[in-house]
């Protein structure tokens, strides 16, 4: 370097290479600025991706009169009914200095998704409750609205609606999904004492279930014990981690967890004066929805996630439960989206195998039925992902968007929500497709 050249200072304000202490000090300041937003209306720590930013934007559109988002400082400026926003928003930690209800749920349950009874059972392909909450807010649903999930699975959409005091209807083809959605409903209204069992009683219950002699006069307790049992057995099949605890130990632990969820949920209900709304759960086939005349033009919104093209064996996953209940799995599977028509697709989709075409035929029909069930002006959010079969990508996301438009929906928005930590190309994330019935 020539003598005339001016030496530039580093970001640390020194000419020489900084010391370890200087580096740590500078990073600590940056860290504090980034991690601890400064302001009275701040992002939740769970806001991590660009999709989260889009979800926040959607929620604010639905809940506020006016807002601006400052993503660098992780703060929001907003105008509107602050109490309502605090009770409903899913992406802010504080609104005008006061903690939001969602933050309280996250802190109390130690998780952004496993609050209330969302974590009752590891049903495959479950929604993130936070996304459901976001969409309910974006669609401006209120106590007078009615929400539909025709692929309700274990009832995430209906449970989240119940927690938010919104009426909903959930339909699913699998008996296991129905048991779980009903349980999530019932547990919100059960007396705490009903969940009290001595160790001895629990051991006897477990034995009765194992001997297929389990009966209980209260259908909620009957179903709850079975669900906890199926979960226990499933955990044993998947890993040897629980061998030391033993089946009885794990069964009791899982039941205590549910009791704890009940206690925490009731504490929050009391603290915020919440009014939960039970959902209506129906065992049925979305492709036969039109047989239920009373459903026509009834719903303000639909938030749903169809089964992904054969990426998940939803029914097989619950084989233990179906074996126990003596359910006919073949019959259930034959009603599954894409399993009708005995291998003869109605339409041809260029380059796609007939089985995918059959699945697309059914998906298209399901979307037409959703259109029929919505009021005009009603909103639809479909959460869907692409799968890969024998190295070939099955473009379900764009096909779904097309089917929505063909059914008469106006397309509004698509947000890609990446699966953080995805390590292979099969499933990298899901998309939320938002449409409106004109
Ligand atoms: C992606 S899962 C939905 C999971 C759900 N969102 C949850 O959080 O648990 C898809 C669901 O569609 C259901 N399903 C498949 N075919 C169906 C049909 N013809 N009618 C109604 N439900 C169906 C499956 O049983 C499965 O529960």
């Amino acid at each position: 370097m020539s003598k005339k050249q001016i030496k530039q200072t580093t970001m640390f304000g020194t000419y020489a290479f900084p010391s370890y202490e200087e580096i740590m000090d500078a990073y600590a300041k940056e860290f504090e600025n980034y991690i601890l937003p400064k302001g009275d209306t701040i992002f939740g720590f769970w806001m991590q991706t660009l999709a989260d930013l889009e979800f926040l934007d959607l929620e604010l559109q639905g809940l506020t009169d006016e807002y601006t988002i400052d993503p660098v400082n992780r703060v929001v400026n907003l105008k509107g009914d602050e109490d309502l926003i605090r009770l409903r928003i899913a992406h802010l930690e504080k609104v005008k200095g006061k903690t939001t209800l969602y933050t309280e749920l996250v802190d109390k349950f130690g998780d952004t998704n496993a609050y209330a009874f969302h974590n009752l059972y590891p049903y495959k392909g479950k929604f993130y409750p936070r996304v459901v909450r976001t969409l309910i807010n974006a669609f401006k649903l209120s106590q007078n609205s009615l929400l539909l999930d025709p692929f309700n699975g274990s009832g995430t959409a209906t449970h989240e609606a119940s927690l938010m005091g919104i009426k909903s209807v959930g339909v699913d083809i699998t008996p296991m999904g129905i048991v779980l959605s009903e349980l999530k409903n019932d547990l919100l209204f059960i007396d705490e004492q009903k969940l009290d069992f001595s160790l001895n009683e629990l051991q006897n219950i477990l034995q009765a279930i194992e001997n297929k002699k389990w009966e209980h006069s209260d259908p909620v307790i009957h179903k709850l014990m079975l669900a906890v049992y199926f979960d226990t057995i499933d955990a044993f099949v998947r890993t040897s981690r629980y061998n030391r605890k033993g089946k009885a130990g794990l069964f009791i632990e899982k039941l205590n967890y549910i009791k704890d969820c009940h206690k925490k949920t009731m504490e929050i209900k009391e603290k915020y004066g919440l009014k939960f709304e039970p959902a209506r759960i129906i065992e049925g086939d979305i492709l036969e929805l039109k047989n239920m005349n009373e459903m026509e033009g009834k719903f303000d919104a639909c938030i749903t996630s169809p089964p992904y093209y054969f990426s998940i064996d939803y029914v097989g996953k619950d084989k233990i439960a179906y074996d126990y209940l003596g359910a006919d799995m073949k019959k259930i599977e034959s009603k599954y989206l894409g399993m009708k028509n005995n291998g003869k697709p109605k339409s041809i989709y260029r380059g796609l195998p007939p089985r995918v075409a059959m699945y697309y035929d059914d998906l298209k029909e399901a979307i037409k039925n959703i259109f029929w069930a919505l009021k005009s002006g009603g909103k639809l959010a479909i959460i869907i992902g692409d799968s890969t079969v024998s190295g070939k990508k099955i473009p379900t996301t764009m096909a779904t968007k097309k089917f929505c438009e063909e059914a008469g929906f106006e397309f509004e928005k698509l947000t890609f929500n990446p699966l953080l930590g995805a390590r292979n190309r099969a499933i990298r994330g899901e998309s939320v497709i938002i449409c409106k019935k004109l």
Side-chain angles (χ1 to χ4, degrees):
M1 188 187 291
S2 79
K3 275 188 190 152
K4 275 189 185 159
Q5 252 178 315
I6 303 162
K7 278 193 203 165
Q8 280 188 337
T9 53
T10 64
M11 68 181 278
F12 304 96
T14 55
Y15 294 101
F17 194 77
S19 68
Y20 171 78
E21 284 73 22
E22 282 169 328
I23 294 174
M24 290 312 284
D25 193 44
Y27 272 118
K29 278 187 201 132
E30 283 302 306
F31 181 81
E32 195 174 78
N33 280 340
Y34 183 68
I35 296 294
L36 304 170
K38 290 178 182 55
D40 62 4
T41 302
I42 56 174
F43 286 18
F45 68 85
W46 51 93
M47 290 266 306
Q48 295 177 349
T49 63
L50 279 177
D52 289 335
L53 208 52
E54 287 190 56
F55 289 147
L56 170 67
D57 192 36
L58 274 174
E59 286 199 291
L60 291 169
Q61 280 174 36
L63 290 174
T64 66
D65 301 332
E66 243 176 73
Y67 68 93
T68 50
I69 301 175
D70 174 355
V72 174
N73 294 305
R74 299 171 70 80
V75 294
V76 167
N77 220 320
L78 57 79
K79 283 201 186 121
D81 180 347
E82 289 163 23
D83 288 332
L84 176 85
I85 300 168
R86 219 172 273 126
L87 280 179
R88 295 192 46 167
I89 201 145
H91 289 88
L92 295 181
E93 189 165 325
K94 284 186 179 163
V95 172
K96 306 276 179 189
K98 289 196 201 153
T99 306
T100 60
L101 168 66
Y102 188 80
T103 304
E104 179 117 10
L105 287 168
V106 170
D107 287 344
K108 211 171 178 83
F109 287 84
D111 195 292
T112 55
N113 286 309
Y115 53 85
F117 298 105
H118 280 303
N119 206 25
L120 175 69
Y121 185 89
Y123 194 79
K124 280 280 175 186
K126 268 200 287 190
F127 269 151
Y128 295 115
R130 171 154 57 102
V131 174
V132 176
R133 180 169 282 257
T134 300
L135 293 165
I136 286 179
N137 288 334
F139 295 163
K140 302 184 185 192
L141 300 189
S142 70
Q143 278 76 353
N144 305 321
S145 313
L146 188 58
L147 173 74
L148 169 70
D149 184 351
F151 297 105
N152 196 36
S154 64
T156 309
T158 44
H159 192 47
E160 193 62 15
S162 299
L163 294 171
M164 294 173 80
I166 289 161
K167 295 183 197 71
S168 63
V169 174
V171 180
D172 202 277
I173 198 79
T174 53
M176 192 59 190
I178 299 300
V179 166
L180 296 170
S181 327
E182 283 177 348
L183 261 178
K184 286 178 190 173
N185 238 349
D186 298 338
L187 286 167
L188 285 180
F189 300 96
I190 200 169
D191 258 356
E192 196 174 346
Q193 295 96 301
K194 284 203 176 175
L195 298 172
D196 273 339
F197 292 91
S198 69
L199 279 187
N200 205 12
E201 281 171 320
L202 286 177
Q203 268 157 347
N204 290 340
I205 291 172
L206 179 63
Q207 214 163 39
I209 299 178
E210 296 243 274
N211 296 331
K212 298 209 174 173
K213 293 215 161 79
W214 167 238
E215 290 295 340
H216 198 279
S217 54
D218 185 333
V220 181
I221 301 298
H222 181 79
K223 280 186 278 188
L224 175 65
M225 294 298 177
L226 284 179
V228 174
Y229 173 74
F230 297 146
D231 188 15
T232 304
I233 300 298
D234 181 61
F236 265 90
V237 173
R238 277 185 287 121
T239 162
S240 56
R241 198 149 41 105
Y242 302 116
N243 284 359
R244 266 212 353 224
K245 232 175 242 165
K247 218 184 270 177
L250 190 59
F251 180 77
I252 291 164
E253 188 180 295
K254 284 185 181 290
L255 204 86
N256 282 336
Y257 166 73
I258 307 283
K259 259 178 75 174
D260 190 47
C261 288
H262 184 270
K263 188 168 160 283
K264 288 174 174 164
T265 307
M266 292 308 134
E267 281 168 6
I268 291 204
K269 177 176 188 243
E270 186 89 350
K271 179 168 173 185
Y272 286 86
L274 304 178
K275 188 181 167 293
F276 295 151
E277 187 68 53
R280 187 174 158 208
I281 306 297
I282 302 171
E283 186 169 347
D285 183 348
I286 165 82
L287 300 181
E288 288 165 17
L289 197 68
K290 285 188 178 165
N291 293 342
M292 295 185 243
N293 287 333
E294 81 276 13
M295 300 276 178
E296 183 174 6
K298 197 174 166 186
F299 295 90
D300 298 277
C302 170
I303 300 174
T304 199
S305 174
Y308 290 14
Y309 176 76
F310 296 112
S311 50
I312 297 175
D313 179 6
Y314 298 94
V315 186
K317 158 73 183 59
D318 294 317
K319 187 172 184 316
I320 296 166
Y322 291 128
D323 282 352
Y324 186 95
L325 299 169
D328 185 347
M329 283 180 60
K330 282 270 160 311
K331 194 164 156 218
I332 300 166
E333 272 170 345
S334 73
K335 295 228 162 202
Y336 228 75
L337 212 71
M339 301 298 274
K340 299 249 171 74
N341 296 338
N342 302 320
K344 286 178 227 98
K346 279 187 265 167
S347 335
I348 295 167
Y349 303 90
R350 254 193 323 147
L352 292 178
R355 286 186 73 185
V356 179
M358 274 159 53
Y359 167 76
Y360 279 2
D361 278 347
D362 281 358
L363 186 57
K364 203 192 250 182
E365 212 51 40
I367 291 170
K368 280 188 198 160
N369 287 355
I370 294 172
F371 186 86
W372 169 88
L374 283 173
K375 290 180 184 166
S376 70
K379 295 281 199 144
L380 164 66
I382 295 196
I383 290 136
I384 190 95
D386 296 332
S387 35
T388 306
V389 174
S390 317
K392 196 170 164 39
K393 189 173 163 198
I394 310 297
T396 307
T397 307
M398 289 330 265
T400 305
K401 175 179 175 284
K402 189 168 147 260
F403 298 154
C404 288
E405 286 168 326
E406 282 171 8
F409 283 106
E410 183 185 64
F411 169 74
E412 286 192 343
K413 189 175 171 63
L414 188 151
T415 298
F416 180 71
N417 195 16
L419 191 69
L420 293 180
R423 288 165 191 220
N424 64 52
R425 290 181 185 277
I427 297 183
R428 278 171 287 168
E430 57 191 18
S431 293
V432 182
I433 299 173
I434 297 180
C435 298
K436 183 176 174 179
K437 176 171 173 175
L438 291 174

